[in-house]
Amino acid sequence: LPIWAVKALIGDHLIAGSINGMPHGRYTIKNNYFHGHFCLHFYESRLHKNGKIDRAHQEMILKATGEE
């Protein structure tokens, strides 16, 4: 899946993150016509499938900071 560097505004804080570029997985909210889900990662976030830190997401988070 493609991933993208993003910045999330949470309250007054702008936080670097990484998001999947396509919906994936079987977890779906009923009746919203969106199949799957997106994952938003932050520094040292872990994957839900295995609990490991994903290097590619961490690289996109660094890119989002502008310090790559």
Side-chain angles (χ1 to χ4, degrees):
L1 294 173
I3 58 175
W4 301 94
V6 298
K7 293 181 182 178
L9 182 60
I10 301 173
D12 294 334
H13 302 280
L14 194 58
I15 302 173
S18 174
I19 193 168
N20 295 96
M22 296 290 291
H24 62 280
R26 66 180 185 268
Y27 303 106
T28 300
I29 297 171
K30 293 180 181 181
N31 301 319
N32 74 349
Y33 306 103
F34 185 90
H35 301 287
H37 64 275
F38 283 98
C39 291
L40 176 59
H41 292 258
F42 296 107
Y43 179 68
E44 293 190 348
S45 290
R46 297 182 180 271
L47 298 171
H48 53 82
K49 67 181 178 181
N50 60 17
K52 295 183 179 179
I53 293 174
D54 184 84
R55 184 178 58 88
H57 278 292
Q58 296 303 303
E59 288 174 2
M60 286 291 113
I61 293 165
L62 183 59
K63 183 175 182 177
T65 69
E67 305 222 4
E68 61 173 326

